[in-house]
Amino acid sequence: MKIYADNAATTKMSKQAIDAMIPYMEEIYGNPSSLYEIGQKAKEALEEARERVAKVLNCQPREIIFTSGGSEADNQAINSAAKVGAMKGKKHIISTTFEHHAVLHTLKKLEKEGFEITLLDVHSNGLVDLKELEEAIRPDTALVTIMYANNEIGTVQPIREIGAICRAKGVTFHTDAVQAVAHIPVDVEADNIDMLSLSAHKFHGPKGVGVLYVKKGVPVFNLIEGGAQERGKRAGTENVPGIMGMAKALEDATNSLEKDTAHLLPLRDKLIAGLDAIPYSELNGDREHRLPATVNFCFEGIEGESLLMLLDDKGISASSGSACTSGSLDPSHVLLAIGRPHEVAHGSLRLSFDSNITEEEIDYIIESVNEVVTYLRNMSPFWRDLMTGKRPHVFSE
Amino acid sequence: MALYSDVVMDHFRNPRNVGVIEDANGIGEEGNAVCGDIMKIYLKINDDEIIEDVKFETFGCTSAIASSSMATEMIKGKPVSEALELSNKAVAEALQGLPENKMHCSVLAEEAIKKAIEDYQSRKNK
C-alpha cells in the first residue's frame, strides 16, 4: 500500500489544476503587460482568476496580490505593517510562539531593527487565549499576526474573535492561512482579517504561487521592486499558468469542502483513537479545534526520524518534528511551544492526508505505526528505562 | 533514498546485535534523551580479553541505529585493545559515509563502546 500522508508539506496537483495551467504555457503564453493579443488574453485570464480567488475569500479582486507563495506573502504583510507602524511611531508586534518560520524569522529580523515583539503563549492545547491577546495589545502595537491553523499540529485558532479584538482596538491583523484556506471555511470579511497569506500547493495547486490579501484601506509596501504589476504592489511578470492552476484548485476545493469535511472528520477521529490506544502516546494540540485532516502524535521512548524511515518502508510518507528531521539540535519549536519536553518532542509524528484517504488506509496506518513504534521501543534503552521505572513517564498509559 | 547510503539503510533495516546481554561484564551508555539519542552497549569479554559477544540498544535516528549496528559488528570477536582504537571515522567509513549533521551518531557509538570497556576494566580491577 502507498499512502501519501504529508499533505501539510505539499500536495499532489489535481488533474483539473494541471489542465487549467497548460493553455497558459502552450498558447496564451504572452506577458500580461504586452499590448498584442496573446498578452491581452493572458491579462484577461489573470484578472478573471483574481475575481475567482476573491470570490472564494469573500473580498474584492483589487484586494488580491499574487505572490510566489506563502512565505513571500507573510514577509510582505509583516514587513509592510511594520514599516507603516514605524511611520506612526508604533513599533510593537504581537504574534505567537508557534508560528511558521516565515513569520517568526521575519519578526526576529524586525526585533534586531528595534521592534518589540510579544509572542503569545499557545498553551498545551495549541490555542491562543483571547484575554491574553487583549491584554498584550498596546497603544504602540502596529500589528497582530497569528496563524489561522498550525502547520505541524493542525490546531485552528479562534480567528474571527481575534480579528474582532484587533478591529476594536484599531490594530492591523494579519493571518498566515496557508494551512487553512481550502481546508476549512475562510471568509476574510466575516473573520475580520486585514491581511491574509495563502499558498496554492497546499490545496492541490501548483508550487511557487500564492496570495496576499490586503483589505482596502490597509496600506501595503512592496517587497519586490520593479515593474507596475499587481497595482504596483508586487513587481515581476505574473505567473499566469500558476495563478490559473491556483484559481482552479481553490475553487474545486471550496466547492467540495463540505462533502470532503464530512468524509474526513470520522476518519481523522478514527486515526486519533487508533494512535491514542498505543500506550504512552498523546495527541498534540486540541482535539476539537483542529484541521480535518492533520493529526500529530508524540510517542514516548522513540525518535521520530527512524519512525518515519520505517513507515516509508511500509509505503507511508509522513513527517516528524524531531531534531534529526529539522537539521537542528532542537526538536520542533511548535511542540516545545505547547510544552512538550525535548525527549518527547523527538518522538513526534505528523500525518496529514487529503480527501482521497479511505478507511482501509487509515486502518493500515494505525497498524503500521503500532508495529513500528513497538519495534523501535524494543530496541530503545530510553524505553527500557521508562518501563523499569528508572526514568519517569511523561504520558500516562 | 539518497539521504543515506545503502549500507546505512541495510544496517538500519536489519540491525545486527540488537538486544541485551544479561551477564555482560561491560556496559556503556552515551547520549541523552533531551538530545534525542542514547546508545547503550553490552559487552561479554572473556579471560583472553576478547569481545566474545556484543549487543546494543539505541534510541535515535536512522544513522544512530546504523552506527550502533556497524560499530558492534566491527568489534565483535576482536581483542579489547583493538576495540578501544575504533574511531567514529572508521564507523562512518564502513557505513559508506554519513550526512555531515549525522556524524555525531558515529561519535556516540565510539564513546559508548569506550565507556563499556572502561566499565569492564573498572569491574576487573575491583
PDB file of all heavy atoms in Angstrom, chain A residues 96-98 120-130 132 146-150 153-159 162 284-291 337-338:
ATOM      1  N   THR A  96       2.561  34.677  17.921  1.00  0.00           N
ATOM      2  CA  THR A  96       2.546  33.538  18.839  1.00  0.00           C
ATOM      3  C   THR A  96       3.873  32.791  18.756  1.00  0.00           C
ATOM      4  O   THR A  96       4.630  32.954  17.808  1.00  0.00           O
ATOM      5  CB  THR A  96       1.417  32.525  18.520  1.00  0.00           C
ATOM      6  OG1 THR A  96       1.805  31.737  17.397  1.00  0.00           O
ATOM      7  CG2 THR A  96       0.100  33.220  18.245  1.00  0.00           C
ATOM      8  N   THR A  97       4.083  31.941  19.742  1.00  0.00           N
ATOM      9  CA  THR A  97       5.352  31.206  19.820  1.00  0.00           C
ATOM     10  C   THR A  97       5.456  30.107  18.766  1.00  0.00           C
ATOM     11  O   THR A  97       6.545  29.592  18.538  1.00  0.00           O
ATOM     12  CB  THR A  97       5.505  30.538  21.198  1.00  0.00           C
ATOM     13  OG1 THR A  97       4.290  29.830  21.486  1.00  0.00           O
ATOM     14  CG2 THR A  97       5.747  31.563  22.281  1.00  0.00           C
ATOM     15  N   PHE A  98       4.335  29.719  18.155  1.00  0.00           N
ATOM     16  CA  PHE A  98       4.423  28.549  17.256  1.00  0.00           C
ATOM     17  C   PHE A  98       4.092  28.852  15.806  1.00  0.00           C
ATOM     18  O   PHE A  98       3.678  27.970  15.064  1.00  0.00           O
ATOM     19  CB  PHE A  98       3.619  27.375  17.816  1.00  0.00           C
ATOM     20  CG  PHE A  98       2.122  27.405  17.638  1.00  0.00           C
ATOM     21  CD1 PHE A  98       1.399  26.211  17.778  1.00  0.00           C
ATOM     22  CD2 PHE A  98       1.444  28.557  17.326  1.00  0.00           C
ATOM     23  CE1 PHE A  98       0.037  26.177  17.610  1.00  0.00           C
ATOM     24  CE2 PHE A  98       0.066  28.542  17.158  1.00  0.00           C
ATOM     25  CZ  PHE A  98      -0.636  27.354  17.307  1.00  0.00           C
ATOM     26  N   LEU A 120       2.692  35.411  22.016  1.00  0.00           N
ATOM     27  CA  LEU A 120       1.698  34.866  22.933  1.00  0.00           C
ATOM     28  C   LEU A 120       1.898  33.371  23.120  1.00  0.00           C
ATOM     29  O   LEU A 120       2.255  32.660  22.178  1.00  0.00           O
ATOM     30  CB  LEU A 120       0.286  35.103  22.385  1.00  0.00           C
ATOM     31  CG  LEU A 120      -0.154  36.553  22.217  1.00  0.00           C
ATOM     32  CD1 LEU A 120      -1.503  36.597  21.480  1.00  0.00           C
ATOM     33  CD2 LEU A 120      -0.281  37.244  23.572  1.00  0.00           C
ATOM     34  N   ASP A 121       1.618  32.932  24.332  1.00  0.00           N
ATOM     35  CA  ASP A 121       1.659  31.509  24.658  1.00  0.00           C
ATOM     36  C   ASP A 121       0.516  30.813  23.909  1.00  0.00           C
ATOM     37  O   ASP A 121      -0.566  31.380  23.752  1.00  0.00           O
ATOM     38  CB  ASP A 121       1.445  31.382  26.179  1.00  0.00           C
ATOM     39  CG  ASP A 121       1.709  29.979  26.697  1.00  0.00           C
ATOM     40  OD1 ASP A 121       2.037  29.095  25.877  1.00  0.00           O
ATOM     41  OD2 ASP A 121       1.583  29.769  27.911  1.00  0.00           O
ATOM     42  N   VAL A 122       0.774  29.597  23.449  1.00  0.00           N
ATOM     43  CA  VAL A 122      -0.312  28.846  22.802  1.00  0.00           C
ATOM     44  C   VAL A 122      -0.800  27.687  23.684  1.00  0.00           C
ATOM     45  O   VAL A 122      -1.617  26.864  23.250  1.00  0.00           O
ATOM     46  CB  VAL A 122       0.090  28.324  21.401  1.00  0.00           C
ATOM     47  CG1 VAL A 122       0.177  29.478  20.434  1.00  0.00           C
ATOM     48  CG2 VAL A 122       1.388  27.545  21.444  1.00  0.00           C
ATOM     49  N   HIS A 123      -0.297  27.641  24.897  1.00  0.00           N
ATOM     50  CA  HIS A 123      -0.788  26.692  25.898  1.00  0.00           C
ATOM     51  C   HIS A 123      -0.675  25.241  25.429  1.00  0.00           C
ATOM     52  O   HIS A 123      -0.287  24.980  24.297  1.00  0.00           O
ATOM     53  CB  HIS A 123      -2.218  27.038  26.306  1.00  0.00           C
ATOM     54  CG  HIS A 123      -2.341  28.478  26.712  1.00  0.00           C
ATOM     55  ND1 HIS A 123      -2.069  28.904  27.985  1.00  0.00           N
ATOM     56  CD2 HIS A 123      -2.628  29.604  26.000  1.00  0.00           C
ATOM     57  CE1 HIS A 123      -2.214  30.217  28.045  1.00  0.00           C
ATOM     58  NE2 HIS A 123      -2.554  30.670  26.851  1.00  0.00           N
ATOM     59  N   SER A 124      -1.053  24.318  26.308  1.00  0.00           N
ATOM     60  CA  SER A 124      -0.853  22.908  25.963  1.00  0.00           C
ATOM     61  C   SER A 124      -1.797  22.441  24.860  1.00  0.00           C
ATOM     62  O   SER A 124      -1.541  21.447  24.195  1.00  0.00           O
ATOM     63  CB  SER A 124      -1.027  22.036  27.207  1.00  0.00           C
ATOM     64  OG  SER A 124      -2.323  22.208  27.720  1.00  0.00           O
ATOM     65  N   ASN A 125      -2.891  23.189  24.634  1.00  0.00           N
ATOM     66  CA  ASN A 125      -3.821  22.768  23.582  1.00  0.00           C
ATOM     67  C   ASN A 125      -3.516  23.409  22.221  1.00  0.00           C
ATOM     68  O   ASN A 125      -4.211  23.157  21.238  1.00  0.00           O
ATOM     69  CB  ASN A 125      -5.268  23.060  23.999  1.00  0.00           C
ATOM     70  CG  ASN A 125      -5.507  24.542  24.287  1.00  0.00           C
ATOM     71  OD1 ASN A 125      -4.576  25.353  24.152  1.00  0.00           O
ATOM     72  ND2 ASN A 125      -6.708  24.900  24.667  1.00  0.00           N
ATOM     73  N   GLY A 126      -2.491  24.243  22.167  1.00  0.00           N
ATOM     74  CA  GLY A 126      -2.136  24.860  20.884  1.00  0.00           C
ATOM     75  C   GLY A 126      -3.078  25.973  20.467  1.00  0.00           C
ATOM     76  O   GLY A 126      -3.246  26.242  19.277  1.00  0.00           O
ATOM     77  N   LEU A 127      -3.690  26.633  21.462  1.00  0.00           N
ATOM     78  CA  LEU A 127      -4.631  27.715  21.155  1.00  0.00           C
ATOM     79  C   LEU A 127      -4.274  28.983  21.928  1.00  0.00           C
ATOM     80  O   LEU A 127      -3.845  28.929  23.082  1.00  0.00           O
ATOM     81  CB  LEU A 127      -6.063  27.283  21.506  1.00  0.00           C
ATOM     82  CG  LEU A 127      -6.629  26.115  20.688  1.00  0.00           C
ATOM     83  CD1 LEU A 127      -7.970  25.667  21.251  1.00  0.00           C
ATOM     84  CD2 LEU A 127      -6.771  26.482  19.214  1.00  0.00           C
ATOM     85  N   VAL A 128      -4.514  30.111  21.255  1.00  0.00           N
ATOM     86  CA  VAL A 128      -4.264  31.407  21.866  1.00  0.00           C
ATOM     87  C   VAL A 128      -5.409  31.724  22.832  1.00  0.00           C
ATOM     88  O   VAL A 128      -6.562  31.376  22.576  1.00  0.00           O
ATOM     89  CB  VAL A 128      -4.207  32.483  20.752  1.00  0.00           C
ATOM     90  CG1 VAL A 128      -4.320  33.876  21.315  1.00  0.00           C
ATOM     91  CG2 VAL A 128      -2.931  32.325  19.937  1.00  0.00           C
ATOM     92  N   ASP A 129      -5.077  32.376  23.934  1.00  0.00           N
ATOM     93  CA  ASP A 129      -6.093  32.818  24.889  1.00  0.00           C
ATOM     94  C   ASP A 129      -6.474  34.246  24.505  1.00  0.00           C
ATOM     95  O   ASP A 129      -5.624  35.139  24.479  1.00  0.00           O
ATOM     96  CB  ASP A 129      -5.489  32.759  26.297  1.00  0.00           C
ATOM     97  CG  ASP A 129      -6.489  33.153  27.373  1.00  0.00           C
ATOM     98  OD1 ASP A 129      -7.324  34.061  27.115  1.00  0.00           O
ATOM     99  OD2 ASP A 129      -6.425  32.576  28.471  1.00  0.00           O
ATOM    100  N   LEU A 130      -7.764  34.462  24.216  1.00  0.00           N
ATOM    101  CA  LEU A 130      -8.205  35.769  23.724  1.00  0.00           C
ATOM    102  C   LEU A 130      -7.936  36.881  24.738  1.00  0.00           C
ATOM    103  O   LEU A 130      -7.620  38.013  24.367  1.00  0.00           O
ATOM    104  CB  LEU A 130      -9.700  35.722  23.384  1.00  0.00           C
ATOM    105  CG  LEU A 130     -10.058  34.820  22.197  1.00  0.00           C
ATOM    106  CD1 LEU A 130     -11.575  34.726  22.044  1.00  0.00           C
ATOM    107  CD2 LEU A 130      -9.426  35.322  20.902  1.00  0.00           C
ATOM    108  N   GLU A 132      -5.510  36.999  26.878  1.00  0.00           N
ATOM    109  CA  GLU A 132      -4.079  37.311  26.848  1.00  0.00           C
ATOM    110  C   GLU A 132      -3.734  38.189  25.651  1.00  0.00           C
ATOM    111  O   GLU A 132      -2.877  39.065  25.727  1.00  0.00           O
ATOM    112  CB  GLU A 132      -3.252  36.012  26.819  1.00  0.00           C
ATOM    113  CG  GLU A 132      -3.276  35.285  28.151  1.00  0.00           C
ATOM    114  CD  GLU A 132      -2.584  33.927  28.121  1.00  0.00           C
ATOM    115  OE1 GLU A 132      -1.961  33.586  27.101  1.00  0.00           O
ATOM    116  OE2 GLU A 132      -2.703  33.206  29.122  1.00  0.00           O
ATOM    117  N   ILE A 146      -1.234  36.200  13.619  1.00  0.00           N
ATOM    118  CA  ILE A 146      -1.494  34.896  14.240  1.00  0.00           C
ATOM    119  C   ILE A 146      -1.971  33.931  13.167  1.00  0.00           C
ATOM    120  O   ILE A 146      -2.880  34.251  12.400  1.00  0.00           O
ATOM    121  CB  ILE A 146      -2.554  35.025  15.367  1.00  0.00           C
ATOM    122  CG1 ILE A 146      -1.984  35.870  16.518  1.00  0.00           C
ATOM    123  CG2 ILE A 146      -3.008  33.645  15.866  1.00  0.00           C
ATOM    124  CD1 ILE A 146      -2.952  36.155  17.650  1.00  0.00           C
ATOM    125  N   MET A 147      -1.348  32.773  13.121  1.00  0.00           N
ATOM    126  CA  MET A 147      -1.698  31.823  12.063  1.00  0.00           C
ATOM    127  C   MET A 147      -3.099  31.265  12.234  1.00  0.00           C
ATOM    128  O   MET A 147      -3.562  31.050  13.350  1.00  0.00           O
ATOM    129  CB  MET A 147      -0.650  30.702  11.970  1.00  0.00           C
ATOM    130  CG  MET A 147      -0.644  29.725  13.104  1.00  0.00           C
ATOM    131  SD  MET A 147       0.939  28.816  13.252  1.00  0.00           S
ATOM    132  CE  MET A 147       1.279  28.321  11.580  1.00  0.00           C
ATOM    133  N   TYR A 148      -3.759  31.040  11.110  1.00  0.00           N
ATOM    134  CA  TYR A 148      -5.138  30.526  11.140  1.00  0.00           C
ATOM    135  C   TYR A 148      -5.121  29.095  11.682  1.00  0.00           C
ATOM    136  O   TYR A 148      -5.816  28.773  12.641  1.00  0.00           O
ATOM    137  CB  TYR A 148      -5.732  30.550   9.726  1.00  0.00           C
ATOM    138  CG  TYR A 148      -7.225  30.769   9.681  1.00  0.00           C
ATOM    139  CD1 TYR A 148      -7.773  31.881   9.042  1.00  0.00           C
ATOM    140  CD2 TYR A 148      -8.099  29.848  10.263  1.00  0.00           C
ATOM    141  CE1 TYR A 148      -9.149  32.085   8.996  1.00  0.00           C
ATOM    142  CE2 TYR A 148      -9.475  30.045  10.216  1.00  0.00           C
ATOM    143  CZ  TYR A 148      -9.989  31.163   9.578  1.00  0.00           C
ATOM    144  OH  TYR A 148     -11.344  31.354   9.535  1.00  0.00           O
ATOM    145  N   ALA A 149      -4.296  28.258  11.057  1.00  0.00           N
ATOM    146  CA  ALA A 149      -4.182  26.865  11.506  1.00  0.00           C
ATOM    147  C   ALA A 149      -2.700  26.514  11.533  1.00  0.00           C
ATOM    148  O   ALA A 149      -1.950  26.913  10.645  1.00  0.00           O
ATOM    149  CB  ALA A 149      -4.927  25.929  10.578  1.00  0.00           C
ATOM    150  N   ASN A 150      -2.317  25.771  12.551  1.00  0.00           N
ATOM    151  CA  ASN A 150      -0.890  25.446  12.685  1.00  0.00           C
ATOM    152  C   ASN A 150      -0.473  24.331  11.730  1.00  0.00           C
ATOM    153  O   ASN A 150      -1.165  23.324  11.592  1.00  0.00           O
ATOM    154  CB  ASN A 150      -0.572  25.063  14.139  1.00  0.00           C
ATOM    155  CG  ASN A 150       0.902  24.807  14.332  1.00  0.00           C
ATOM    156  OD1 ASN A 150       1.365  23.680  14.190  1.00  0.00           O
ATOM    157  ND2 ASN A 150       1.657  25.858  14.588  1.00  0.00           N
ATOM    158  N   ILE A 153       0.732  20.860  14.105  1.00  0.00           N
ATOM    159  CA  ILE A 153      -0.227  20.114  14.924  1.00  0.00           C
ATOM    160  C   ILE A 153      -1.673  20.307  14.473  1.00  0.00           C
ATOM    161  O   ILE A 153      -2.555  19.610  14.934  1.00  0.00           O
ATOM    162  CB  ILE A 153      -0.078  20.435  16.426  1.00  0.00           C
ATOM    163  CG1 ILE A 153      -0.304  21.924  16.705  1.00  0.00           C
ATOM    164  CG2 ILE A 153       1.309  20.021  16.915  1.00  0.00           C
ATOM    165  CD1 ILE A 153      -0.330  22.252  18.190  1.00  0.00           C
ATOM    166  N   GLY A 154      -1.915  21.261  13.569  1.00  0.00           N
ATOM    167  CA  GLY A 154      -3.234  21.396  12.957  1.00  0.00           C
ATOM    168  C   GLY A 154      -4.290  22.109  13.785  1.00  0.00           C
ATOM    169  O   GLY A 154      -5.474  22.083  13.419  1.00  0.00           O
ATOM    170  N   THR A 155      -3.885  22.750  14.886  1.00  0.00           N
ATOM    171  CA  THR A 155      -4.908  23.441  15.671  1.00  0.00           C
ATOM    172  C   THR A 155      -5.371  24.716  14.949  1.00  0.00           C
ATOM    173  O   THR A 155      -4.585  25.394  14.294  1.00  0.00           O
ATOM    174  CB  THR A 155      -4.411  23.822  17.077  1.00  0.00           C
ATOM    175  OG1 THR A 155      -3.155  24.496  16.959  1.00  0.00           O
ATOM    176  CG2 THR A 155      -4.244  22.593  17.947  1.00  0.00           C
ATOM    177  N   VAL A 156      -6.667  25.000  15.076  1.00  0.00           N
ATOM    178  CA  VAL A 156      -7.284  26.145  14.405  1.00  0.00           C
ATOM    179  C   VAL A 156      -7.623  27.208  15.447  1.00  0.00           C
ATOM    180  O   VAL A 156      -8.320  26.921  16.426  1.00  0.00           O
ATOM    181  CB  VAL A 156      -8.559  25.711  13.650  1.00  0.00           C
ATOM    182  CG1 VAL A 156      -9.224  26.911  12.984  1.00  0.00           C
ATOM    183  CG2 VAL A 156      -8.227  24.643  12.605  1.00  0.00           C
ATOM    184  N   GLN A 157      -7.113  28.403  15.239  1.00  0.00           N
ATOM    185  CA  GLN A 157      -7.323  29.489  16.207  1.00  0.00           C
ATOM    186  C   GLN A 157      -8.721  30.112  16.060  1.00  0.00           C
ATOM    187  O   GLN A 157      -9.308  30.066  14.978  1.00  0.00           O
ATOM    188  CB  GLN A 157      -6.283  30.599  15.996  1.00  0.00           C
ATOM    189  CG  GLN A 157      -4.852  30.160  16.147  1.00  0.00           C
ATOM    190  CD  GLN A 157      -4.534  29.606  17.521  1.00  0.00           C
ATOM    191  OE1 GLN A 157      -5.159  29.970  18.510  1.00  0.00           O
ATOM    192  NE2 GLN A 157      -3.581  28.702  17.583  1.00  0.00           N
ATOM    193  N   PRO A 158      -9.206  30.742  17.118  1.00  0.00           N
ATOM    194  CA  PRO A 158     -10.484  31.476  17.015  1.00  0.00           C
ATOM    195  C   PRO A 158     -10.251  32.785  16.239  1.00  0.00           C
ATOM    196  O   PRO A 158     -10.251  33.872  16.817  1.00  0.00           O
ATOM    197  CB  PRO A 158     -10.870  31.722  18.479  1.00  0.00           C
ATOM    198  CG  PRO A 158      -9.583  31.713  19.231  1.00  0.00           C
ATOM    199  CD  PRO A 158      -8.650  30.788  18.491  1.00  0.00           C
ATOM    200  N   ILE A 159     -10.030  32.665  14.946  1.00  0.00           N
ATOM    201  CA  ILE A 159      -9.586  33.801  14.134  1.00  0.00           C
ATOM    202  C   ILE A 159     -10.613  34.937  14.113  1.00  0.00           C
ATOM    203  O   ILE A 159     -10.257  36.116  14.193  1.00  0.00           O
ATOM    204  CB  ILE A 159      -9.236  33.330  12.697  1.00  0.00           C
ATOM    205  CG1 ILE A 159      -7.928  32.528  12.719  1.00  0.00           C
ATOM    206  CG2 ILE A 159      -9.142  34.498  11.731  1.00  0.00           C
ATOM    207  CD1 ILE A 159      -6.676  33.283  13.154  1.00  0.00           C
ATOM    208  N   ILE A 162     -10.321  36.808  17.269  1.00  0.00           N
ATOM    209  CA  ILE A 162      -9.039  37.523  17.293  1.00  0.00           C
ATOM    210  C   ILE A 162      -9.149  38.770  16.411  1.00  0.00           C
ATOM    211  O   ILE A 162      -8.761  39.879  16.798  1.00  0.00           O
ATOM    212  CB  ILE A 162      -7.886  36.603  16.803  1.00  0.00           C
ATOM    213  CG1 ILE A 162      -7.634  35.492  17.834  1.00  0.00           C
ATOM    214  CG2 ILE A 162      -6.610  37.404  16.531  1.00  0.00           C
ATOM    215  CD1 ILE A 162      -6.672  34.397  17.361  1.00  0.00           C
ATOM    216  N   ASN A 284      -1.080  15.721  19.905  1.00  0.00           N
ATOM    217  CA  ASN A 284      -0.596  17.090  20.085  1.00  0.00           C
ATOM    218  C   ASN A 284      -1.645  18.080  19.602  1.00  0.00           C
ATOM    219  O   ASN A 284      -2.078  18.011  18.457  1.00  0.00           O
ATOM    220  CB  ASN A 284       0.715  17.294  19.319  1.00  0.00           C
ATOM    221  CG  ASN A 284       1.862  16.526  19.961  1.00  0.00           C
ATOM    222  OD1 ASN A 284       2.043  16.561  21.177  1.00  0.00           O
ATOM    223  ND2 ASN A 284       2.613  15.813  19.148  1.00  0.00           N
ATOM    224  N   GLY A 285      -2.018  19.000  20.490  1.00  0.00           N
ATOM    225  CA  GLY A 285      -2.982  20.026  20.115  1.00  0.00           C
ATOM    226  C   GLY A 285      -4.411  19.626  20.435  1.00  0.00           C
ATOM    227  O   GLY A 285      -4.717  18.450  20.646  1.00  0.00           O
ATOM    228  N   ASP A 286      -5.250  20.626  20.461  1.00  0.00           N
ATOM    229  CA  ASP A 286      -6.653  20.449  20.828  1.00  0.00           C
ATOM    230  C   ASP A 286      -7.347  19.402  19.942  1.00  0.00           C
ATOM    231  O   ASP A 286      -7.094  19.309  18.751  1.00  0.00           O
ATOM    232  CB  ASP A 286      -7.376  21.794  20.687  1.00  0.00           C
ATOM    233  CG  ASP A 286      -8.694  21.801  21.409  1.00  0.00           C
ATOM    234  OD1 ASP A 286      -8.698  22.008  22.636  1.00  0.00           O
ATOM    235  OD2 ASP A 286      -9.730  21.582  20.746  1.00  0.00           O
ATOM    236  N   ARG A 287      -8.212  18.619  20.566  1.00  0.00           N
ATOM    237  CA  ARG A 287      -8.909  17.560  19.860  1.00  0.00           C
ATOM    238  C   ARG A 287      -9.974  18.108  18.913  1.00  0.00           C
ATOM    239  O   ARG A 287     -10.195  17.582  17.834  1.00  0.00           O
ATOM    240  CB  ARG A 287      -9.603  16.659  20.889  1.00  0.00           C
ATOM    241  CG  ARG A 287      -9.366  15.189  20.721  1.00  0.00           C
ATOM    242  CD  ARG A 287      -9.610  14.486  22.048  1.00  0.00           C
ATOM    243  NE  ARG A 287      -8.328  14.104  22.616  1.00  0.00           N
ATOM    244  CZ  ARG A 287      -7.763  12.899  22.427  1.00  0.00           C
ATOM    245  NH1 ARG A 287      -8.384  11.967  21.735  1.00  0.00           N
ATOM    246  NH2 ARG A 287      -6.588  12.627  22.937  1.00  0.00           N
ATOM    247  N   GLU A 288     -10.636  19.149  19.320  1.00  0.00           N
ATOM    248  CA  GLU A 288     -11.763  19.667  18.530  1.00  0.00           C
ATOM    249  C   GLU A 288     -11.357  20.742  17.544  1.00  0.00           C
ATOM    250  O   GLU A 288     -11.737  20.704  16.379  1.00  0.00           O
ATOM    251  CB  GLU A 288     -12.809  20.261  19.470  1.00  0.00           C
ATOM    252  CG  GLU A 288     -13.883  19.293  19.883  1.00  0.00           C
ATOM    253  CD  GLU A 288     -14.774  19.919  20.930  1.00  0.00           C
ATOM    254  OE1 GLU A 288     -15.322  21.006  20.658  1.00  0.00           O
ATOM    255  OE2 GLU A 288     -14.879  19.332  22.032  1.00  0.00           O
ATOM    256  N   HIS A 289     -10.634  21.738  18.041  1.00  0.00           N
ATOM    257  CA  HIS A 289     -10.290  22.863  17.180  1.00  0.00           C
ATOM    258  C   HIS A 289      -9.081  22.513  16.328  1.00  0.00           C
ATOM    259  O   HIS A 289      -7.985  23.005  16.550  1.00  0.00           O
ATOM    260  CB  HIS A 289     -10.021  24.111  18.028  1.00  0.00           C
ATOM    261  CG  HIS A 289     -11.211  24.512  18.850  1.00  0.00           C
ATOM    262  ND1 HIS A 289     -11.308  24.217  20.187  1.00  0.00           N
ATOM    263  CD2 HIS A 289     -12.359  25.129  18.498  1.00  0.00           C
ATOM    264  CE1 HIS A 289     -12.482  24.659  20.630  1.00  0.00           C
ATOM    265  NE2 HIS A 289     -13.134  25.215  19.634  1.00  0.00           N
ATOM    266  N   ARG A 290      -9.329  21.631  15.350  1.00  0.00           N
ATOM    267  CA  ARG A 290      -8.222  21.207  14.509  1.00  0.00           C
ATOM    268  C   ARG A 290      -8.666  20.998  13.068  1.00  0.00           C
ATOM    269  O   ARG A 290      -9.850  20.865  12.780  1.00  0.00           O
ATOM    270  CB  ARG A 290      -7.563  19.957  15.054  1.00  0.00           C
ATOM    271  CG  ARG A 290      -8.410  18.688  15.003  1.00  0.00           C
ATOM    272  CD  ARG A 290      -7.582  17.454  15.315  1.00  0.00           C
ATOM    273  NE  ARG A 290      -6.695  17.626  16.449  1.00  0.00           N
ATOM    274  CZ  ARG A 290      -5.369  17.728  16.378  1.00  0.00           C
ATOM    275  NH1 ARG A 290      -4.763  17.634  15.217  1.00  0.00           N
ATOM    276  NH2 ARG A 290      -4.648  17.883  17.453  1.00  0.00           N
ATOM    277  N   LEU A 291      -7.693  21.013  12.186  1.00  0.00           N
ATOM    278  CA  LEU A 291      -7.953  20.797  10.762  1.00  0.00           C
ATOM    279  C   LEU A 291      -8.551  19.402  10.567  1.00  0.00           C
ATOM    280  O   LEU A 291      -8.263  18.490  11.337  1.00  0.00           O
ATOM    281  CB  LEU A 291      -6.648  20.924   9.970  1.00  0.00           C
ATOM    282  CG  LEU A 291      -6.042  22.331   9.896  1.00  0.00           C
ATOM    283  CD1 LEU A 291      -4.628  22.266   9.317  1.00  0.00           C
ATOM    284  CD2 LEU A 291      -6.921  23.260   9.051  1.00  0.00           C
ATOM    285  N   ALA A 337       6.593  24.691  22.074  1.00  0.00           N
ATOM    286  CA  ALA A 337       5.669  25.778  22.423  1.00  0.00           C
ATOM    287  C   ALA A 337       4.436  25.265  23.164  1.00  0.00           C
ATOM    288  O   ALA A 337       3.882  25.962  24.003  1.00  0.00           O
ATOM    289  CB  ALA A 337       5.239  26.536  21.163  1.00  0.00           C
ATOM    290  N   ILE A 338       3.997  24.039  22.844  1.00  0.00           N
ATOM    291  CA  ILE A 338       2.836  23.507  23.578  1.00  0.00           C
ATOM    292  C   ILE A 338       3.286  22.735  24.826  1.00  0.00           C
ATOM    293  O   ILE A 338       2.490  22.034  25.440  1.00  0.00           O
ATOM    294  CB  ILE A 338       1.901  22.643  22.698  1.00  0.00           C
ATOM    295  CG1 ILE A 338       2.624  21.410  22.122  1.00  0.00           C
ATOM    296  CG2 ILE A 338       1.291  23.483  21.584  1.00  0.00           C
ATOM    297  CD1 ILE A 338       1.684  20.367  21.550  1.00  0.00           C
TER     298      ILE A 338
END
